Amino acid sequence: MQTTVKQVHRKELFGHPVGLYILFFTEMWERFSYYGMRAILVLYLITETTDRNPGLGWTNMEALALYGWYTMLVYVASIPGGIIADRMLGQKKAVIVGAVLLVIGHSILAIEEMWAFYTGLGFIIAGVGMLKPNISTMVGGLYPKGDIRRDKGFTIFYIGINIGAFLSSLIVGYVGEVYGWHYGFGLAGICMLLGLLQFVLGQKYLVGVGDFLGKSTNVEDQEALKRPLNKMEKDRVIVLILSFLMVIVFFGAFEQAGGLMNIYASEKTNRMLMGWEVPASWFQSLNAFFIIVLGAAVANFWANRKLKGKEASSLFKMIVGLIIMGTGFLFMTAATAQFESSGSSAMYWLVLAYMFHTVGELSLSPVSLSFVTKLAPAKYASLMMGLYFATTGLGNKLAGLLGESASHLGEYTVFTGIAIFCILFGLLIRLFLQKLKALTHGAEDNEKRIAQ
């Protein structure tokens, strides 16, 4: 359930509230800063201190361990971020606080000192924790209950995320690798400042969305805050938590992109293209590129399937997404087999893997965001979104552990094991689909376009 149910008229653009595009661009710049830093973090850690562009000289295992902890904490911080929004600030103010913390964090990382490195990471963790769950909850708040546009709205929002990720991998990655890691970190901070300014200037399109319910004069809002959860709401919370298991598995595999697959691209992939070596960090942009190109097509596929009366529930989409993403790792299995036989691995294996990962992500990630806003009780809306992002954080930590295991198991075993587990786990959840759907109490039934 969205946190705000006021039926106010909202100016629309391309069939969606204008406020969606304000959130779109805010999140785009936030993701530009985050993914830009992520694209060069592991590479900075493993680059030798004596290199032309010196790094910290850590081992691959040490770098992946920190990467796992950092990416986990970034998203686990969404739990306190959600609680603070629900109980004290509301989503709108929490987003502003988070953006300010992120500007500070990325700016501190531009300083070439170890204290600045760890301090900057700390600010970024706190900033993402405040911003990430609350801006996503605000997207749901733009649409009234039962509006079929909600899933498409989240897909549009998700495309904004990945425009930022695509551009950052190319721009921040290039600046970091060519001109200096800390210049890359600083550039990420400048772009986060743009996101903050854009959000503040667009407030007139977000009236009634993301406000603190504790100060609402709406009787329905006050009643929702005071009464205990009923049986239907408890069942919906249960199915949300169960769906989060798929999220953990998905991101445990998917987040190999910034860790093990990033190192694989750097160390074992032939990156020569017409006499020029493609920067390893640029492969991070493939996922975002495919989301921008394929996002609308995947959303329309599921919308048309629903209109034809075929199975197209959020849970089913998430299951299919997990299986498709797992299948993508079979291309990494082929890549490692090629490397072991010839001493070189072609770039097209990475391209194919990222393409499958993207189709899987489009079927799971924006859909699961929308699913949370449909099922979460109003007084716990940001907390449940925070729990969702916390599970992605646990998935990130799992990704780090899996990446570390490659040092003694080998990439072939890790990539193949991930593929098999994801496919089998998705098929297992499929067996319980109808029972899980029953716990939603028809939250997705009779969806239609509702004029605001």
Side-chain angles (χ1 to χ4, degrees):
M1 178 187 293
Q2 67 266 38
T3 59
T4 303
V5 293
K6 299 174 183 177
Q7 301 300 305
V8 299
H9 175 73
R10 300 193 187 283
K11 184 178 180 181
E12 293 189 358
L13 179 65
F14 305 125
H16 290 270
V18 174
L20 174 65
Y21 303 100
I22 300 299
L23 302 178
F24 172 105
F25 285 108
T26 303
E27 182 71 346
M28 183 191 78
W29 287 118
E30 187 274 329
R31 290 291 89 181
F32 182 100
S33 65
Y34 174 76
Y35 279 104
M37 198 276 280
R38 193 193 76 158
I40 61 176
L41 177 60
V42 169
L43 300 178
Y44 166 64
L45 293 175
I46 65 174
T47 300
E48 295 296 332
T49 57
T50 56
D51 193 82
R52 176 188 58 82
N53 182 15
L56 296 184
W58 290 14
T59 66
N60 288 357
M61 182 177 290
E62 290 171 336
L64 290 172
L66 182 133
Y67 175 80
W69 278 110
Y70 165 67
T71 51
M72 182 191 77
L73 290 173
V74 158
Y75 291 112
V76 169
S78 293
I79 294 178
I83 293 173
I84 291 170
D86 283 336
R87 298 185 179 180
M88 298 172 58
L89 298 178
Q91 291 98 33
K92 194 177 294 181
K93 290 182 179 178
V95 168
I96 293 174
V97 171
V100 170
L101 292 173
L102 283 166
V103 171
I104 294 171
H106 286 293
S107 299
I108 291 175
L109 279 180
I111 302 172
E112 298 186 34
E113 298 288 345
M114 284 307 297
W115 68 265
F117 177 71
Y118 289 111
T119 302
L121 292 184
F123 271 98
I124 292 172
I125 289 168
V128 173
M130 289 294 288
L131 187 148
K132 192 68 177 165
N134 295 304
I135 197 169
S136 298
T137 305
M138 288 180 69
V139 175
L142 291 168
Y143 300 93
K145 184 178 180 181
D147 193 334
I148 197 173
R149 297 177 300 166
R150 186 186 299 233
D151 280 5
K152 283 190 175 181
F154 269 99
T155 299
I156 292 171
F157 177 70
Y158 209 71
I159 290 173
I161 291 174
N162 286 279
I163 290 175
F166 172 72
L167 294 174
S168 67
S169 298
L170 296 177
I171 299 172
V172 177
Y174 181 79
V175 170
E177 288 195 66
V178 176
Y179 293 101
W181 306 113
H182 294 278
Y183 286 108
F185 295 144
L187 177 60
I190 293 171
C191 292
M192 186 61 245
L193 180 60
L194 294 176
L196 172 60
L197 293 174
Q198 188 273 148
F199 181 77
V200 172
L201 294 174
Q203 289 301 295
K204 67 179 180 179
Y205 298 109
L206 297 170
V207 175
V209 178
D211 297 331
F212 179 42
L213 289 186
K215 293 185 178 180
S216 174
T217 58
N218 184 284
V219 175
E220 190 175 343
D221 288 344
Q222 291 300 320
E223 181 183 341
L225 284 175
K226 293 176 181 177
R227 66 172 174 78
L229 299 184
N230 57 35
K231 174 67 164 56
M232 180 184 70
E233 289 171 327
K234 289 179 180 178
D235 284 349
R236 287 177 171 177
V237 169
I238 289 171
V239 76
L240 277 177
I241 292 173
L242 290 174
S243 73
F244 291 165
L245 294 176
M246 281 191 286
V247 175
I248 294 173
V249 173
F250 181 91
F251 282 99
F254 181 82
E255 283 298 327
Q256 297 304 318
L260 185 58
M261 289 176 70
N262 204 6
I263 293 174
Y264 190 88
S266 176
E267 298 181 351
K268 296 186 177 180
T269 300
N270 180 0
R271 293 181 279 114
M272 297 305 297
L273 181 65
M274 295 184 290
W276 178 68
E277 187 174 47
V278 178
S281 60
W282 279 26
F283 286 91
Q284 299 288 292
S285 69
L286 287 172
N287 170 244
F289 170 77
F290 283 128
I291 282 180
I292 296 166
V293 172
L294 301 175
V298 173
N300 287 331
F301 168 81
W302 287 115
N304 291 334
R305 184 178 172 87
K306 188 177 186 71
L307 291 173
K308 292 177 182 177
K310 297 181 179 180
E311 178 63 69
S313 64
S314 294
L315 288 167
F316 181 73
K317 294 176 189 176
M318 293 167 70
I319 291 168
V320 172
L322 179 60
I323 292 172
I324 292 174
M325 192 275 301
T327 303
F329 274 96
L330 295 177
F331 294 109
M332 295 307 300
T333 297
T336 52
Q338 185 182 61
F339 179 83
E340 291 175 3
S341 64
S342 66
S344 179
S345 174
M347 287 188 287
Y348 58 75
W349 295 120
L350 280 166
V351 174
L352 289 169
Y354 278 120
M355 183 176 71
F356 271 68
H357 291 180
T358 299
V359 175
E361 183 186 8
L362 284 167
S363 296
L364 182 141
S365 197
V367 170
S368 56
L369 288 172
S370 178
F371 194 51
V372 171
T373 66
K374 292 173 186 175
L375 269 65
K379 66 178 180 180
Y380 297 131
S382 291
L383 173 59
M384 293 307 299
M385 189 64 78
L387 284 172
Y388 165 79
F389 283 112
T391 60
T392 68
L394 293 175
N396 276 268
K397 178 57 181 171
L398 175 60
L401 294 173
L402 289 171
E404 290 177 59
S405 70
S407 62
H408 58 275
L409 294 177
E411 288 95 343
Y412 184 92
T413 300
V414 172
F415 289 142
T416 306
I418 289 174
I420 293 172
F421 184 83
C422 288
I423 293 170
L424 292 180
F425 189 75
L427 293 173
L428 176 64
I429 299 296
R430 176 66 179 88
L431 297 175
F432 299 95
L433 177 61
Q434 296 307 317
K435 291 184 178 180
L436 292 172
K437 284 176 63 178
L439 291 174
T440 69
H441 292 275
E444 296 184 297
D445 294 344
N446 302 317
E447 286 186 327
K448 57 185 182 298
R449 191 194 191 286
I450 298 176
Q452 292 182 296

